[in-house]
Amino acid sequence: MEDELEDRIFYQTYISHMKLLSKFAVGLPLNTSYFSYIWRLIRFYIIKPEVVLLTLFLVVIFMYIQAVEVWSRSLVNKLRLSVSSSIPTKSQKLQYFKVTGDFDKLSWELKEGNVAVFAVQGRRPKMEDRFVVNENINGTGVHLYAVFDGHGGEFAANYARDNLINNLNSKIIELKQLISKGIDKNTINKPAPPSPAIGKKFPPSPASLEKKPSFKKTIKEEGIRKQSGVITDPFLLEKLESLPRAITREVKPTRTNSAPILPPDITSYIETNSTINFGKLVTDEVLAADRLLVEAAKKTMDVAGTTVLIALVEGSKLIVANVGDSRGVMCDFKGRAIPLSFDHKPQQSREKKRIEEAGGSVSFNGVWRVAGILATSRAMGDYPLKDKKLVIADPDILTFDLSDHKPQFLILASDGLWDTFSNEEAVSFIKSRLHEPHFGAKSITLQSYYRGSLDNITVLVINLTNHTWV
């Protein structure tokens, strides 16, 4: 009896409070007829059950769509970029008029043994990435793989692919021939002159060594190579247009009568145990090619530059040379992601200190940039920044014993991939797709594009699952 009485009292109290709240909400006094009219419209059209339910339904649908990875990372990213700049440049406008779904005309692929490469132009107006696959160079047992990510034009990436790689091939063949013939060990320990530099051309590649094509072309050759001196990077174009005078005119071509520096003795790259010091060889060749590239660029006033990522494999030894922000990753036998290189970014303490000591600065404009222009602190080319020593081409060299790691595969890729994938994500993605024709290289490239990557994307995968490690 008492429980029923309490329930009745509670119910009557609740009804009384609801009536008071209803009268207050409905009879809310407003001072002007304008606000009264607005309030009546809201009550009549908006505060209705069907309107509220429809609104909640749309909110749920919108949240679900946002959770979809493809939509949220591509469309939202493009919308954000489109509203971030009030006055887009001409190149930025052209990006959104490109046909982005037709990869047949904007992609390159290569499948050779256990190596697969897939590259897409993506949302950039030109393809500035280049890659090289050179298996068992002239029967020496040395394998060379490289990825070049050009910026500001194609000239630097083409130069590095055609000249740096040819020079490395020639030196490796010559060194292997010397080792096979046997050389006097006393000649190995002779002090070597400084690194090769301007004015000295290296011997051309032997006729028997045919340079393998860097791209399996699906478009005409002239579609890639024409107008190699044209600057296509949108941010760089905008910076150049804003300067009172063109940056390409600030540094005049170097005089050709400067004394050349002789290259080091070829035997200085041979160790006492008759093995090649690949780290020293690649370092000298990269710096030499960079000096020649800068000289050639000054003659044509071409400000293009390129990153360099080179992997050399001989037996179980892996040597990786990196200049810039292209990146290599290895998946070991436990499935862990092992970095093969580390990006050179201006905001890193070591790089920032070097730039500031050279009289430059690092500023943030979307990303951290050298002198507000370049998003990587090391590269080949880029002669206006190179002459001021704000950007250098010194490679970082890392050496790995593959018999210790017993890797399942290696990934070499331009930063177009790493803008949307972490090392661990890329390893996990490729590991589940090694059964595909391109060992997952094509799938991860297209997935990176769908996630919203705005750069050229090149991915090279070396499948080592069937390799027997001693």
Side-chain angles (χ1 to χ4, degrees):
M1 187 70 179
E2 292 180 357
D3 292 339
E4 292 181 0
L5 181 60
E6 290 179 357
D7 292 341
R8 187 177 299 175
I9 293 173
F10 177 78
Y11 177 73
Q12 290 178 352
T13 304
Y14 173 76
I15 293 298
S16 300
H17 280 83
M18 290 298 101
K19 288 181 177 180
L20 288 173
L21 288 175
S22 299
K23 290 180 179 180
F24 177 78
V26 174
L28 184 66
L30 297 172
N31 296 329
T32 63
S33 59
Y34 176 78
F35 288 114
S36 178
Y37 177 72
I38 296 293
W39 176 244
R40 285 198 299 271
L41 289 178
I42 292 175
R43 283 192 302 163
F44 186 78
Y45 292 104
I46 298 179
I47 309 178
K48 298 177 69 174
E50 56 269 25
V51 176
V52 173
L53 289 175
L54 179 61
T55 303
L56 290 175
F57 176 77
L58 293 176
V59 169
V60 172
I61 293 297
F62 182 78
M63 293 176 63
Y64 172 76
I65 293 176
Q66 275 196 321
V68 179
E69 187 176 33
V70 173
W71 188 90
S72 62
R73 293 204 181 192
S74 60
L75 181 59
V76 172
N77 200 14
K78 283 192 284 186
L79 291 175
R80 177 180 60 81
L81 288 172
S82 65
V83 300
S84 62
S85 178
S86 58
I87 307 178
T89 62
K90 182 178 180 181
S91 296
Q92 289 173 332
K93 291 178 181 178
L94 289 175
Q95 289 179 2
Y96 301 103
F97 286 95
K98 293 188 64 64
V99 180
T100 57
D102 188 2
F103 287 102
D104 292 336
K105 296 181 180 179
L106 302 174
S107 65
W108 297 259
E109 62 183 77
L110 175 67
K111 177 71 180 299
E112 186 174 312
N114 66 328
V115 182
V117 191
F118 196 82
V120 295
Q121 181 175 324
R123 296 175 174 86
R124 284 295 179 94
K126 293 182 75 69
M127 180 59 168
E128 297 172 342
D129 284 3
R130 298 292 183 269
F131 64 83
V132 174
V133 175
N134 206 338
E135 295 268 83
N136 193 16
I137 302 172
N138 206 36
T140 59
V142 180
H143 311 275
L144 185 150
Y145 313 97
V147 172
F148 303 100
D149 181 2
H151 49 262
E154 303 172 38
F155 176 73
N158 283 334
Y159 189 96
R161 178 195 62 186
D162 297 336
N163 295 273
L164 172 60
I165 298 304
N166 277 344
N167 292 339
L168 279 173
N169 289 341
S170 300
K171 288 293 179 64
I172 290 172
I173 293 171
E174 186 178 356
L175 287 166
K176 283 295 184 179
Q177 290 174 347
L178 288 174
I179 292 173
S180 65
K181 293 177 181 178
I183 59 173
D184 184 7
K185 294 295 187 292
N186 294 327
T187 62
I188 299 176
N189 298 320
K190 292 191 305 182
S195 300
I198 304 168
K200 184 70 176 179
K201 293 186 178 180
F202 296 103
S205 301
S208 60
L209 177 62
E210 294 184 0
K211 186 175 71 67
K212 299 181 180 180
S214 297
F215 291 106
K216 180 181 179 182
K217 299 179 179 62
T218 55
I219 61 173
K220 294 183 179 179
E221 180 70 19
E222 57 269 18
I224 291 182
R225 288 183 163 262
K226 65 181 180 179
Q227 297 179 348
S228 62
V230 177
I231 304 169
T232 58
D233 185 80
F235 185 84
L236 187 56
L237 278 172
E238 186 177 3
K239 279 290 181 182
L240 293 178
E241 291 170 359
S242 64
L243 292 174
R245 59 171 180 163
I247 195 170
T248 54
R249 301 294 176 182
E250 291 182 359
V251 183
K252 296 182 179 180
T254 303
R255 290 175 296 180
T256 57
N257 57 357
S258 57
I261 302 176
L262 296 176
D265 186 355
I266 187 68
T267 58
S268 66
Y269 300 118
I270 303 178
E271 303 286 354
T272 54
N273 58 353
S274 296
T275 59
I276 300 176
N277 186 339
F278 286 106
K280 184 176 186 299
L281 173 63
V282 175
T283 299
D284 286 349
E285 291 302 320
V286 168
L287 293 176
D290 179 61
R291 292 186 182 102
L292 295 174
L293 168 59
V294 168
E295 286 299 306
K298 287 179 179 179
K299 293 176 182 177
T300 58
M301 297 297 180
D302 196 313
V303 298
T306 183
T307 68
V308 179
L309 181 63
I310 298 175
L312 290 166
V313 180
E314 183 183 27
S316 61
K317 185 165 65 173
L318 168 66
I319 300 92
V320 180
N322 178 54
V323 180
D325 54 7
S326 295
R327 193 186 309 167
V329 181
M330 170 172 58
C331 176
D332 68 2
F333 69 99
K334 293 184 179 180
R336 297 173 299 190
I338 309 297
L340 299 180
S341 66
F342 296 92
D343 301 350
H344 293 131
K345 294 295 186 180
Q347 68 271 25
Q348 295 168 351
S349 57
R350 179 184 64 169
E351 298 296 298
K352 185 177 181 180
K353 180 181 178 182
R354 176 185 59 77
I355 294 168
E356 291 177 346
E357 287 178 351
S361 63
V362 176
S363 59
F364 186 83
N365 194 340
V367 295
W368 292 99
R369 298 179 183 272
V370 180
I373 298 176
L374 194 60
T376 179
S377 55
R378 299 194 189 189
M380 288 182 62
D382 294 297
Y383 81 83
L385 299 174
K386 188 69 60 64
D387 280 3
K388 298 177 182 178
K389 303 196 183 303
L390 304 184
V391 172
I392 61 176
D394 301 56
D396 283 341
I397 307 293
L398 295 180
T399 304
F400 302 85
D401 188 344
L402 299 181
S403 61
D404 292 338
H405 297 282
K406 297 179 175 61
Q408 301 179 42
F409 57 87
L410 310 178
I411 305 173
L412 306 179
S414 60
D415 68 331
L417 174 70
W418 308 116
D419 289 341
T420 57
F421 275 87
S422 66
N423 292 357
E424 292 73 20
E425 288 174 336
V427 165
S428 177
F429 191 96
I430 293 293
K431 186 179 178 181
S432 63
R433 292 167 175 81
L434 282 175
H435 61 278
E436 296 179 354
H438 291 84
F439 309 131
K442 181 175 182 178
S443 296
I444 197 172
T445 301
L446 299 182
Q447 180 65 19
S448 178
Y449 174 84
Y450 294 138
R451 286 188 177 189
S453 178
L454 300 176
D455 205 348
N456 304 143
I457 311 168
T458 299
V459 179
L460 187 154
V461 175
I462 306 170
N463 185 4
L464 300 172
T465 53
N466 297 325
H467 190 90
T468 301
W469 302 103
V470 180

